[in-house]
Amino acid sequence: MKSFRTPIILGLTLFTTSVIANSETSTSSVPKEVLIKKMQKGGLVLYFRHASTEKDYADQVKADVNDGSTQRVLSEKGWHEAVHIGNAVRFYNIPVGKVFSSEYFRAWQTAWLAFGQYEKKEDLNFLPFAEFTKEQMEMMKKRVVPYLSTKPAKGKNTVIVAHDDPFEAATGIYRDPQGICYVLEPKGKGNFKILGFVEASAW
């Protein structure tokens, strides 16, 4: 178990949370159709937790980014989820610009299957510890927040495919289940607003 997890209500499919640097947050339900329309206009960051893996366990300590045998890898269900996500994004005509992923297989393979492209970023990796200290969480937050707060090219959405721990460090929200997508509005200068989320099965 990792420290500093803030659980969310899994019964909700979409919600709104404002996160401006370290300010307070608030939530309210948002219709799915409204969220999709916002994505269709571009200007957002779509942060995906990788699709489902064969097992769900902490592999942080021993995982080698260059050796898939040391890592949790996508299951057959995960491969289907990734393809489904990509098909849904194209069906809804959601414009995609840059696609960033962590260096771990389950992240970049999800990005490849869904979007046909990816650029690996070490900043999106989790740290190699079974449990995280406040200092380590702060380190991951410092690395990830610039990706969440940077505005994409006009008319495009930036896609990030990574892990629950870096997202939790940046937002205080533990991302569950696998394949979930959080939609964020970047404000620049380390600021962003969380508009809601879509689970893999809800597209």
Side-chain angles (χ1 to χ4, degrees):
M1 296 294 293
K2 300 181 183 64
S3 303
F4 313 113
R5 276 204 169 148
T6 303
I8 58 175
I9 300 173
L10 297 181
L12 292 177
T13 302
L14 301 171
F15 74 100
T16 299
T17 300
S18 297
V19 181
I20 306 299
N22 294 315
S23 66
E24 63 183 72
T25 63
S26 61
T27 63
S28 61
S29 60
V30 176
K32 176 181 176 180
E33 294 75 16
V34 173
L35 193 60
I36 288 176
K37 286 183 179 180
K38 288 181 178 293
M39 288 188 278
Q40 289 171 334
K41 293 179 180 179
L44 305 176
V45 174
L46 313 183
Y47 190 112
F48 288 85
R49 186 184 180 191
H50 59 79
S52 294
T53 55
E54 293 179 348
K55 295 182 181 180
D56 190 356
Y57 65 94
D59 63 348
Q60 289 93 323
V61 178
K62 296 183 178 180
D64 178 348
V65 294
N66 299 310
D67 184 353
S69 69
T70 67
Q71 308 173 29
R72 286 164 46 200
V73 295
L74 293 181
S75 62
E76 183 177 354
K77 176 185 177 182
W79 283 67
H80 285 295
E81 283 176 345
V83 171
H84 171 67
I85 289 167
N87 287 339
V89 168
R90 288 183 287 275
F91 173 80
Y92 287 116
N93 293 315
I94 296 172
V96 172
K98 293 183 178 180
V99 178
F100 300 120
S101 81
S102 83
E103 296 180 309
Y104 289 92
F105 280 46
R106 58 185 178 271
W108 63 257
Q109 287 181 345
T110 298
W112 170 61
L113 287 166
F115 306 105
Q117 61 169 311
Y118 59 89
E119 181 179 345
K120 294 181 184 178
K121 293 290 185 179
E122 183 180 3
D123 289 338
L124 300 174
N125 294 351
F126 43 73
L127 295 180
F129 302 98
E131 295 187 2
F132 301 113
T133 65
K134 289 182 179 180
E135 291 74 19
Q136 290 162 351
M137 293 290 278
E138 188 62 32
M139 183 183 299
M140 286 192 289
K141 177 179 179 180
K142 185 176 181 180
R143 288 163 45 165
V144 173
V145 164
Y147 292 88
L148 306 184
S149 59
T150 299
K151 298 179 181 180
K154 186 176 181 179
K156 300 290 185 179
N157 295 296
T158 297
V159 170
I160 297 172
V161 184
H163 310 272
D164 52 355
D165 297 319
F167 188 80
E168 180 186 2
T171 67
I173 299 172
Y174 172 55
R175 295 180 47 117
D176 198 34
Q178 297 174 97
I180 193 171
C181 171
Y182 273 85
V183 182
L184 303 93
E185 181 181 355
K187 301 289 188 177
K189 298 181 179 179
N191 300 323
F192 56 89
K193 178 179 181 180
I194 300 179
L195 302 179
F197 67 81
V198 182
E199 295 183 8
S201 61
W203 285 98

